[in-house]
Amino acid sequence: MRHEIDLLLNGKPATLSGVAPHVTLLQWLRAQGTTSVKEGCAEGDCGACSVMLGLPGPGGFAWRAACACILMIPQADGCAVVTAEGLRGADGAAHPAQALMAEGAGTQCGFCSPGFVTTLAVLARRTERDDETVLDAISGNLCRCTGYRPILDAGRALPHIAPGPQEAPLAADLLARTRDGLDYSAEGGHFLAPNDLEGALAARAAHPEAWILAGGTDLGLRVTKNHEVPRAVIWLGRIAELRKLEETPDAITLGAAVTYEDALPALKQLHPALADLVRRIGGGQIRAVGTMGGNLGNASPIGDSMPALIALGAEVEIAGPRGRRRRVAADSFIPAYRKTVLASDELISAVRIPKPHKDASFHAYKVARRIDQDISAVCAAFRLRIERGRVAEAASGWGGVAARPIRAVNWERAVLGKSWTRETLRASQQALLDDVSPISDFRGSAGYRRTVCVNLIERLWHETNAGAPLARLEAV
């Protein structure tokens, strides 16, 4: 195991020791003088702290935009970090993203601009330039000045930038230097990043008080917002077994540390509505590091992945010491508020999502105040199969309507075997009210949430009833 953090900052090696492990990448970057990286929200919502994060591989770096404000500095171990200061070319010329933003009046007060520029620089590594791709790329960046038109124009006009000749050797060298796991201590804090699942389980046994960290897109807020200082952290991001994505004829299995971004192509193939839901869990910077395993382990009653997993009949795979393995149905994994069925010596290893019946449809609805970068007031997902006008298969998962994500068993009983008519619709809406028990908070009142639940059943009926008129409006 290594005992120092090793990374590249704007192309130059940096070796760290003595920095408390709970210090964020943003705090460390600003201390190095790279002050283009700004702190706006300190929770991964505004994108002002966006950096290019490069994961080394045999052929070079895989580049993603990431929020430096919620990453603990050891999470950058073994990565290349590029800020706006590091974007200029070898000849000193501005990066095309910088030039297009400046020349097209894409910046006014300038606070958000470096984050936009680094996000656009990641987009420049891709060939797609349609409006959907550009909007998706910058959905994690917030600007309050420009109205976005010149920023979108800059994204549309970006040239494709291929990797430079220096990237592959840099990546290979960094990969070789950081091949071993990390056991890092400083200022009373301990950060463990084992390379295998057995090492992670052993670390969990040795440090029962440790935080279990996957992406940190929620857990990081305990540091930035609650000012908590963990005594020990076990990070799962280096474990190859947990970063595997496997597909069989009947299921897709996502390792617990597979990022949303890496999972998206497989989820889109499983069902486009599932990919659309994942895109709304967070912008690209959140999807670059956030994981479904972490979302489940967080056990939030409004975690958007769980309603979909419940509706799809997914199972959570759990690993314990001495090779112990077990599976738990998604709808049983969170038995109470912020509680899971994990024993103190267990970890989530994967999520298995069965492929739906070829005639089944899947629908996922997220109701929030904003389309992008917002927490749900209500999230619902449905798997439905209609045969000869009757409901042959129905499953539904809900978030934001109880102390934990729930399966709507009363609604399912009200529709199974019934003709998919308005009468069944009305009866099932009433049955659903026996499933949900929402509370009032700043995202919506209990009454509002109940009304939304009833309305979403109506929406489902219209979208799955061949004789119903359909008009769909996502945002205005």
Side-chain angles (χ1 to χ4, degrees):
M1 298 283 276
R2 295 174 296 110
H3 303 289
E4 294 179 317
I5 298 167
D6 206 343
L7 54 86
L8 291 176
L9 174 58
N10 293 330
K12 298 179 180 178
T15 302
L16 286 66
S17 61
V19 180
H22 71 276
V23 167
T24 66
L25 177 59
L26 169 65
Q27 291 169 328
W28 180 78
L29 287 171
R30 291 185 61 83
Q32 306 313 300
T34 50
T35 53
S36 71
V37 190
K38 303 294 193 291
E39 179 175 279
C41 65
E43 57 187 37
D45 272 351
C46 73
C49 67
S50 297
V51 297
M52 293 179 69
L53 194 68
L55 277 64
F61 291 101
W63 292 102
R64 300 277 168 80
C67 288
C69 70
I70 54 174
L71 290 178
M72 298 182 198
I73 184 63
Q75 287 179 267
D77 175 62
C79 296
V81 179
V82 178
T83 67
E85 290 91 341
L87 287 176
R88 68 171 64 91
D91 59 356
H95 187 281
Q98 295 170 312
L100 287 165
M101 284 279 284
E103 294 165 3
T107 178
Q108 289 188 31
C109 83
F111 185 85
C112 69
S113 302
F116 270 101
V117 165
T118 51
T119 300
L120 290 173
V122 172
L123 177 63
R125 294 305 184 103
R126 302 170 58 184
T127 56
E128 305 93 338
R129 290 295 178 274
D130 58 277
D131 283 1
E132 182 181 354
T133 300
V134 176
L135 284 167
D136 186 59
I138 64 169
S139 64
N141 293 80
L142 177 66
C143 177
R144 296 196 180 276
C145 298
T146 67
Y148 289 92
R149 182 198 54 76
I151 299 173
L152 288 171
D153 287 344
R156 295 179 183 118
L158 273 177
H160 173 242
I161 298 178
Q166 76 284 1
E167 282 198 23
L170 279 173
D173 178 65
L174 183 61
L175 193 62
R177 286 190 285 113
T178 59
R179 197 173 300 279
D180 294 335
L182 182 67
D183 185 344
Y184 177 80
S185 297
E187 296 192 13
H190 196 182
F191 192 100
L192 289 152
N195 274 350
D196 53 52
L197 185 54
E198 290 72 20
L201 290 166
R204 183 155 168 72
H207 303 276
E209 80 288 359
W211 293 6
I212 306 301
L213 182 68
T217 56
D218 192 84
L219 203 58
L221 272 63
R222 290 176 59 180
V223 173
T224 62
K225 294 297 186 179
N226 297 347
H227 307 292
E228 296 181 48
V229 178
R231 289 177 54 196
V233 174
I234 301 170
W235 184 43
L236 308 180
R238 294 184 58 93
I239 301 174
E241 179 181 346
L242 302 188
R243 296 174 68 176
K244 286 182 180 177
L245 191 158
E246 297 178 339
E247 183 173 0
T248 62
D250 60 345
I252 289 174
T253 300
L254 304 177
V258 173
T259 66
Y260 286 118
E261 194 66 27
D262 289 337
L264 261 177
L267 298 180
K268 184 176 181 178
Q269 188 175 14
L270 188 68
H271 205 291
L274 181 57
D276 290 343
L277 177 66
V278 167
R279 285 191 184 93
R280 291 192 62 195
I281 287 177
Q285 294 93 321
I286 297 300
R287 298 197 305 264
V289 293
T291 69
M292 197 170 284
N295 196 234
L296 299 186
N298 189 37
S300 169
I302 49 175
D304 287 339
S305 65
M306 186 57 98
L309 295 178
I310 290 172
L312 289 167
E315 294 178 306
V316 183
E317 298 187 357
I318 296 171
R322 296 176 296 280
R324 189 173 75 233
R325 298 289 188 272
R326 64 187 178 112
R327 287 182 181 176
V328 176
D331 61 354
S332 301
F333 182 72
I334 302 175
Y337 178 72
R338 293 286 186 179
K339 301 290 184 184
T340 73
V341 298
L342 287 174
S344 60
D345 59 353
E346 292 180 324
L347 293 169
I348 301 170
S349 59
V351 180
R352 183 182 181 276
I353 309 174
K355 294 181 179 179
H357 187 283
K358 63 181 179 63
D359 296 324
S361 61
F362 176 77
H363 306 262
Y365 307 127
K366 174 171 178 168
V367 179
R369 296 191 179 194
R370 303 190 307 270
I371 283 291
D372 296 311
Q373 293 285 88
D374 203 3
I375 296 174
S376 297
V378 175
C379 183
F382 303 89
R383 186 181 82 247
L384 193 68
R385 180 161 58 91
I386 310 295
E387 288 185 351
R388 300 185 193 81
R390 292 185 177 273
V391 180
E393 185 179 333
S396 178
W398 294 77
V401 298
R404 64 184 184 91
I406 62 165
R407 182 170 182 173
V409 293
N410 290 300
W411 177 82
E412 292 173 14
R413 292 191 191 111
V415 301
L416 276 171
K418 307 289 176 43
S419 297
W420 194 221
T421 62
R422 285 190 180 274
E423 291 72 21
T424 300
L425 164 68
R426 300 301 175 215
S428 73
Q429 287 173 316
Q430 189 61 44
L432 178 66
L433 293 177
D434 294 329
D435 288 308
V436 302
S437 52
I439 63 170
S440 296
D441 60 20
F442 64 92
R443 293 187 186 91
S445 67
Y448 167 76
R449 285 184 160 107
R450 280 192 290 268
T451 299
V452 167
C453 291
V454 169
N455 289 347
L456 290 181
I457 298 296
E458 182 112 16
R459 178 175 177 176
L460 174 73
W461 186 84
H462 280 282
E463 291 189 353
T464 56
N465 194 302
L470 179 62
R472 185 164 184 160
L473 177 65
E474 289 293 352
V476 293

